[in-house]
Amino acid sequence: KQEVTQIPAALSVPEGENLVLNCSFTDSAIYNLQWFRQDPGKGLTSLLLIQSSQREQTSGRLNASLDKSSGRSTLYIAASQPGDSATYLCAVTPNTGFQKLVFGTGTRLLVSP
Amino acid sequence: DTGVSQDPRHKITKRGQNVTFRCDPISEHNRLYWYRQTLGQGPEFLTYFQNEAQLEKSRLLSDRFSAERPKGSFSTLEIQRTEQGDSAMYLCASSLVSGMNTEAFFGQGTRLTVV
């Protein structure tokens, strides 16, 4: 059974810092990996999707990497801003049967001005 | 707005009542998913439609839950005889499966509180 773990569970940084969020998964047979942002009480916003054949994806100040063989992904946020404060969720699509997302429990990020 | 739309955003109901939620996916998307999220946890898969066909249901989806997607467009999720344990955020997502790209887009969710 695929399990996704995110470390740390919570992170507090001052504005301007670069930071890394970690995601690990137990089964490397994945179709892709997706990073989401969730604001309190809201739905999920897709940030980046990495196909299993890719090593990384970039969007603005965000860079996500994928090492499928070791079951790890990182989300790098450059020059953090208070507006980045949210919960960041990692999810994998197992490469078996139909394609549902298996989520981690998220990292709650607080960026202080 | 061309994103995934969910209605209502919030629902408070008494235990034992029935509730129904609606999801309107992005118009050209052929897959629609329902997830449930409790406080401090990641979303958990409930069920999935390919066009109008319901292809998979999680064990989380007891016989009190039913989902439909008539004509492969909007979807409804009904919970009968609600229990306090049903209190959660119910999230809908859609995707257009095209080659390797299965990126999922989520709605704002329906927060259910059973009192």
Side-chain angles (χ1 to χ4, degrees), chain B residues 80-104:
Chain B
Q80 296 181 327
R81 305 181 303 281
T82 52
E83 302 172 356
Q84 287 187 321
D86 297 331
S87 295
M89 174 79 88
Y90 290 84
L91 294 161
C92 176
S94 70
S95 65
L96 173 63
V97 178
S98 175
M100 295 285 287
N101 188 359
T102 62
E103 187 173 6

Side-chain angles (χ1 to χ4, degrees), chain A residues 32 38 46 51 98-99 101, chain B residues 31 33 35 37 102-103:
Chain A
N32 56 43
Q38 186 173 34
S46 178
Q51 302 293 352
F98 70 97
Q99 291 153 350
L101 290 166
Chain B
R31 288 191 180 174
Y33 306 80
Y35 289 82
Q37 185 180 27
T102 62
E103 187 173 6

